Amino acid sequence: MPPQPIPLTLLTGFLGAGKTTLLNGLLKDPALSDTAVIINEFGDIALDHLLVEKIDGDMMVLSSGCLCCNLRGDLVTALERLLRNLDNGRASFKRVIVETTGLADPAPLLQTAMSHPYLLMRFRLDGVVTLVDAINGSATLDNHAEAVKQAAVADRIVLTKTDLLDTPEHIAARNTLLQRLHKLNPAATLLDAAAGEATPANLLGCGLYDPSRKIPDVSRWLADEAIAAAQAHDHHHHHDVNRHDERVRAFTLSTERAIPAAMLDLFLELLRSTHGPNLLRMKAIVNVEETPDRPMVLHGVQHVLHPAAQLEGWPDDDRRTRMVFIVRDIEPRIIRELFDAFLGYTAPDRPDAAAIVDNPLVPFGGRDR
C-alpha cells in the first residue's frame, strides 16, 4: 500500500503580491522544515528564485513558461521526480508547496491534482492560498480576470503590504477591498500578513482530508453558512457585468431529502457538461439514499470532479445535503432549478426530472434506449 498522501499547497496571487516574500518567511518556521518547494517563473530566467533563501529540502524551478500552460509536462514531471527521490531515499519531505507565476490560472493545477491517477494517489490537495496586494488590489481585480479567479478559488486570502497604508484614504481603500474580497469568496478566510496572521497554522490544513483527524471538520471546509449569509446580503445588489468580480457568484443549495446515487451522478454530469468552464469551484456533502449513515463528500473545479469520498459517519447532527458553488457568468437560479428538477419539486413551465433524464438531446445522451 502507498503511504499517506502528501499535502500539496498552491500559493498563488497576481504579479507583485509578495508571494516569494511570504514564502521566505514561512520556510523559516520549523513547521515547514520538511517542505519541498516548486517555484514557477514566466520567462527564461527565474529571477525570483534568487530571492528564495537556501533551506534544507528540495527546491525546483520551472522556468519554461507559465504554470497553467505546462501542467501536463513540467509540473507533473517535477512532482513525479520529487516522489522518486522520496521513495529512493534521496530526499525527505512531508509537504509540497507550489508557487505559481502571477499570471497563472489556478484551475488547471487544481484539476491536475484532482485527476492525475498517480498524483491523486500520492498527494492530497491541502488548499489554495491567494495573496492580494492591499495597495493595488482593487485596480488588479478591475483589470485582470486572472486575479479574480485566483481569489475566487482560494481557501485562504492573504492581504499583503497593509503596513504601507499610511493615509486615511489608503486605509479606506483597504476596507473597501476587504469587503470586495469577502463578497467575491465568502468561504475564504481573510488574513493580514503585516499583522502576523499569515502563519503556517492559519495557512495549512485548509483541506478536508487530514489523516490526523478522525472526524473531518466539514463545516469549516464547506463554509456553507458564510456563503449563505453573503448570498442573503447580496440578494438585492445590482451586478455590473462589465466588472470582472461582479461576474462571479457564490451560493449554496441544500435539501433534507436523501438523493439516489444515480440521480446525483446525472445531475453532476449534466452540470459539468453544460457549465463546466464556469464552475470555478464546487464543494458538497451529500446524503446518499443508498448509504444514509455514510455521507459522500464532493469537490470539483470546473469540469473535473475529485473522486468522491465517503465519510465513516456524519460529523454532526446536520444530515442535510449541502452544496456550495462559486461560478462565473451563471445565474444561481439556473443551477438551483436544475437541482430542484432532479429532486422532483414541481415548477410550472419547467422540465421535470423525467424530461431531463429521458431526453436524447441532453449533452450526455439521455437514458440508454
Side-chain angles (χ1 to χ4, degrees), residues 62 71 104 124 130 141 154 189 246 278 332:
L62 309 181
L71 280 178
R124 64 175 177 87
T130 298
L141 293 174
T189 302
E246 291 288 359
N278 291 324

Side-chain angles (χ1 to χ4, degrees), residues 29-51:
D29 192 292
L32 294 180
S33 60
D34 51 2
T35 299
V37 180
I38 297 178
I39 300 176
N40 174 242
E41 272 301 321
F42 187 80
D44 295 330
I45 302 175
L47 296 177
D48 277 359
H49 182 41
L50 301 176
L51 303 177

